[in-house]
Amino acid sequence: GVAAAGSTTRGGRGQGPGVAKGAAACHVLDVRRHDELSLFGAFEGARHLPAGHLPHGLHVSAEEWLRKFRFPKPGTRDVVVLICNTGLRSKWVAQLFRDLGHNRVYFGAGGTNSWHLDPTLCEYESYEFGSSEIPAPELFALEQVNFEKGQRELAKLGLLEYIMGTGEDLA
């Protein structure tokens, strides 16, 4: 599930065509290392923000952020959703964002290891970068998508209207 690391204030619309200038954006950020994404798969559509580049990376200018990470720096009004392998790094990064005034920050509590909806994302044991012992991907049974349950969880977090494009711009 998704855990809130911030308030569940409603509002905002995602980036894309037709989004009003000044409207809040939604950033899905994978904070795992490059090697983890290469070896075990990545969330489709997620941007890569390695936790190892933080907290310093959060203090750079918007221009330097764009140059370094190749996507726009999230604003304090934006929704930020963080994912990693087990949820520990994304929870830490969520707190870093909160410390800088971001109030709409969420993280995948179980990480990619609890995401059994995509066969291209492998479950794996944590390991240290540069380790000679790279864990083998673990097999898992694909889960069926339960849209109603997902919508209830998103509504509880105050995100359903945002995702459906009916939320208000954050003021």
Side-chain angles (χ1 to χ4, degrees):
V2 176
S7 71
T8 56
T9 307
R10 296 173 191 233
R13 289 188 181 92
Q15 290 179 315
V19 176
K21 185 163 178 66
C26 182
H27 302 268
V28 178
L29 306 177
D30 191 329
V31 299
R32 295 177 296 155
R33 298 184 312 264
H34 292 284
D35 59 301
E36 292 175 280
L37 273 64
S38 296
L39 293 170
F40 302 108
F43 275 87
E44 185 177 339
R47 306 285 179 104
H48 189 211
L49 176 66
H53 290 263
L54 307 174
H56 171 74
L58 292 174
H59 296 282
V60 300
S61 69
E63 294 78 23
E64 187 175 343
W65 175 285
L66 184 59
R67 194 169 40 255
K68 184 174 188 143
F69 299 115
R70 299 189 175 136
F71 63 90
K73 186 175 184 178
T76 56
R77 296 175 10 151
D78 293 345
V79 173
V80 178
V81 179
L82 301 156
I83 51 178
C84 68
N85 180 36
T86 63
L88 293 175
R89 283 175 286 183
S90 57
K91 184 177 182 181
W92 175 70
V93 173
Q95 187 58 53
L96 294 176
F97 272 98
R98 295 259 314 127
D99 290 347
L100 292 175
H102 294 258
N103 293 318
R104 297 181 52 104
V105 181
Y106 304 87
F107 62 93
T112 58
N113 280 351
S114 67
W115 186 262
H116 297 152
L117 301 172
D118 181 352
T120 65
L121 274 174
C122 301
E123 188 170 333
Y124 60 99
E125 292 293 322
S126 295
Y127 66 99
E128 293 294 321
F129 179 72
S131 173
S132 60
E133 304 270 336
I134 304 295
E138 298 177 15
L139 297 176
F140 61 85
L142 280 177
E143 296 176 8
Q144 293 290 73
V145 176
N146 184 331
F147 288 103
E148 292 79 21
K149 181 180 176 186
Q151 286 184 337
R152 283 192 305 272
E153 185 173 350
L154 290 169
K156 188 169 93 176
L157 292 169
L159 292 173
L160 184 60
E161 290 142 356
Y162 179 86
I163 290 170
M164 301 304 287
T166 60
E168 299 294 322
D169 291 346
L170 295 176

